[in-house]
Amino acid sequence: MKEKLVVIVGPTAVGKTKVGIELAKRLNGEIISGDSMQVYRKMDIGTAKVTVNEMDDIPHHLIDIKEPTEPFSVAEFKDLVQPLISSINEQGKLPFIVGGTGLYINSVIQNFNFANTPTDLQFREEMEQFVKEHGVEKLHHKLKDVDSVSYASIHPNNYRRVIRALEVIKRTGKTLSEYQQTQTTESPYDFVFIGLTMERDILYERINHRVDLMVEQGLIEEAKNLYKKGVRDCQSVQAIGYKEIYEYIEGKVSKEEAIETLKRNSRRYAKRQYTWFRNKANVHWFDMTDANFIKKITEIQHFIEGKLYNHSEIK
């Protein structure tokens, strides 16, 4: 018998956190964060980290486990998540991975083998130097002609993943997604892959409102505290929400320009998330636009039960 698992994905601001918690309450579940940024302590506002009140007594995992100066990789995510899935199943509960970091989530459900991943340390050093001399945008542009999927799905600021995509092409002759397909075996899980979607105009309004709310809640102060503590050339603050505010802190742009850039980058990120997840054939999509929330949650709940349980197993 394979271990059971529910995965909930979708673009930023679509409502994954709320949906995941409500379903976990109904289905005796625990939540594993599928967000590569919520692992970092002291980075709460800019990552839209779930609050204790929002958790509503549902256990959450992989939140606040790293210092902002520490790296975090997809391989480490997989190594941490798979034992958690086993532990939650052993307790007779249902694990939910909830988040928007597609590669991280896919590494778990498809059980990627990172031991065989090709590496080229000299190439990485060359690309790191290229970033210092020419910037992340020009590095990102290198992907455009050779790996359009990675170009669309990886943010320029996440330059280490851009380097990784270029490295895979150099070492294997395959794009990152093509190489991952060669690593894919039958999933070790009996899983349901739920995608949340929303009309784009409404989603973009929600994203803009979320950024305004983050600023009201103290995003700029949070970023200043990190900056003062020396958290600068680190993976954590390359993320959307911090990179833009750092430019304001360093006097490169005005506060208003930083906020508008953050909104724009967040909208673009949502589009890239859609691109990533839309290419996954096993995602079952639910439209959250103008939805009656309770009715929609009940619909998703029944779908999960129908996929994972015999009628006699449903509690």
Side-chain angles (χ1 to χ4, degrees), residues 17-256:
T17 297
K18 185 177 180 182
V19 169
I21 290 168
E22 184 59 34
L23 287 170
K25 285 162 61 179
R26 294 182 177 210
L27 293 168
N28 189 29
E30 297 191 7
I31 291 175
I32 302 167
S33 171
D35 187 296
S36 62
M37 294 304 301
Q38 294 192 2
V39 297
Y40 291 111
R41 304 182 188 103
K42 304 179 187 72
M43 298 180 68
D44 302 332
I45 300 169
T47 64
K49 193 177 293 175
V50 61
T51 67
V52 173
N53 282 340
E54 288 170 339
M55 289 180 187
D56 205 4
D57 295 327
I58 296 296
H60 281 63
H61 305 272
L62 293 198
I63 292 175
D64 291 339
I65 62 168
K66 289 275 186 180
E67 291 299 323
T69 51
E70 294 180 292
F72 188 60
S73 69
V74 59
E76 185 176 0
F77 177 81
K78 175 177 175 280
D79 288 344
L80 291 170
V81 168
Q82 290 190 324
L84 279 171
I85 293 171
S86 297
S87 174
I88 294 167
N89 270 278
E90 286 166 5
Q91 297 171 51
K93 302 179 81 174
L94 182 61
F96 287 76
I97 298 179
V98 180
T101 309
L103 176 62
Y104 281 50
I105 293 169
N106 220 37
S107 74
V108 172
I109 60 178
Q110 297 300 336
N111 200 29
F112 288 165
N113 182 0
F114 291 101
N116 297 328
T117 303
T119 58
D120 187 331
L121 295 180
Q122 182 179 343
F123 178 78
R124 290 185 187 181
E125 289 174 4
E126 290 172 0
M127 291 300 98
E128 293 268 1
Q129 186 61 36
F130 183 91
V131 169
K132 290 177 182 176
E133 293 176 3
H134 304 287
V136 293
E137 293 284 351
K138 286 194 174 180
L139 178 77
H140 187 243
H141 197 74
K142 283 176 172 285
L143 272 179
K144 191 170 186 178
D145 294 331
V146 295
D147 186 353
S148 59
V149 173
S150 292
Y151 176 77
S153 61
I154 301 174
H155 191 274
N157 290 344
N158 196 347
Y159 68 91
R160 287 189 175 88
R161 276 193 59 202
V162 175
I163 292 173
R164 180 70 191 125
L166 291 167
E167 179 187 28
V168 168
I169 292 169
K170 182 176 182 292
R171 294 281 292 177
T172 69
K174 296 181 173 70
T175 66
L176 186 59
S177 57
E178 288 169 344
Y179 179 75
Q180 288 164 358
Q181 288 301 316
T182 69
Q183 299 296 295
T184 299
T185 57
E186 181 184 351
S187 177
Y189 303 110
D190 180 12
F191 71 95
V192 179
F193 210 153
I194 302 294
L196 305 182
T197 186
M198 185 173 285
E199 288 180 11
R200 187 150 301 182
D201 288 348
I202 294 174
L203 179 67
Y204 285 177
E205 286 178 12
R206 286 170 62 100
I207 289 170
N208 291 340
H209 176 70
R210 172 184 272 191
V211 171
D212 288 335
L213 190 59
M214 284 177 172
V215 173
E216 288 177 19
Q217 292 172 337
L219 173 61
I220 293 172
E221 289 74 17
E222 182 176 79
K224 283 181 177 178
N225 286 336
L226 292 167
Y227 192 86
K228 288 174 184 175
K229 291 176 181 176
V231 184
R232 298 183 188 180
D233 295 321
C234 303
Q235 176 183 340
S236 60
V237 291
Q238 297 303 316
I240 296 171
Y242 296 94
K243 181 81 171 178
E244 298 84 358
I245 302 302
Y246 268 33
E247 291 193 342
Y248 162 62
I249 293 169
E250 292 171 348
K252 296 176 181 177
V253 298
S254 69
K255 177 180 174 182
E256 292 71 25

